[in-house]
Amino acid sequence: MVLEGLNFEVRDAKTGEDLTRSILLQIILEEETGGMPMFSSQMLAQIIRYYGHAMQGMMGSYLEKNLQTFVDMQARLAEQTRGMVDPKAFTPEMWTQFMSGQAPVMQALMGNYLEQSKNLFVQMQDQVQKQTTGVFPGFPGFPGVPSKNN
């Protein structure tokens, strides 16, 4: 269901408790321990550092929006290559070969993606700063970010 993009919910048969997140995390753990992991140790450590941090909610939203942007970019690429090859036949090795042949196109796409990601982060930072100064008018803001008083 996940691979097909279907929305679903997993509930405990006895208690009715929602187990969806736990099941999805278990799937990620199984995928990470077998084959080629997607997350480096450094990346996982950085994510863990945000648990309990004041910016935890913002980080989750930022990662979710970034992943959606990446999915959208991948869909555009798939649309452009439609008819050329069967996408289901593409293995990770075939994608690597295809991408190496598409270096200029991919560099442009990744450049746009990174720019969108940076802009998203700046927007979120601005939003947090506005909310903070609204709640605490005397709060100086964030280091390196000009306040309304400057």
Side-chain angles (χ1 to χ4, degrees):
M1 290 188 293
V2 172
L3 296 176
E4 292 176 8
L6 301 174
N7 289 329
F8 64 91
E9 195 174 82
V10 180
R11 294 222 169 253
D12 185 285
K14 292 181 183 179
T15 66
E17 179 186 3
D18 186 358
L19 302 175
T20 309
R21 284 180 33 80
S22 296
I23 297 298
L24 292 172
L25 287 168
Q26 183 64 37
I27 292 169
I28 290 171
L29 179 61
E30 289 172 11
E31 290 295 324
E32 285 291 305
T33 56
M36 283 183 20
M38 187 181 305
F39 301 109
S40 67
S41 296
Q42 180 182 1
M43 181 179 177
L44 291 170
Q46 288 172 340
I47 290 170
I48 290 168
R49 287 184 192 112
Y50 273 92
Y51 283 97
H53 189 277
M55 303 294 269
Q56 179 177 341
M58 186 175 131
M59 178 55 85
S61 176
Y62 175 74
L63 291 173
E64 187 173 344
K65 289 177 182 177
N66 252 305
L67 188 56
Q68 185 59 52
T69 301
F70 187 80
V71 167
D72 294 345
M73 183 179 74
Q74 183 184 24
R76 282 193 304 248
L77 181 63
E79 182 66 34
Q80 291 173 355
T81 60
R82 185 162 299 170
M84 292 172 37
V85 293
D86 177 13
K88 292 180 182 175
F90 259 38
T91 64
E93 293 79 20
M94 290 176 69
W95 267 112
T96 301
Q97 287 179 338
F98 176 75
M99 297 309 251
S100 66
Q102 301 293 319
V105 173
M106 282 311 296
Q107 285 175 351
L109 279 173
M110 287 305 291
N112 290 337
Y113 168 73
L114 292 173
E115 187 64 29
Q116 287 176 355
S117 177
K118 180 182 123 191
N119 291 339
L120 175 64
F121 184 78
V122 169
Q123 288 172 356
M124 291 174 75
Q125 187 179 29
D126 289 344
Q127 182 180 3
V128 169
Q129 184 175 13
K130 286 177 187 172
Q131 289 173 347
T132 303
T133 56
V135 173
F136 304 106
F139 190 74
F142 297 103
V145 178
S147 67
K148 292 178 183 177
N149 301 334
N150 289 346

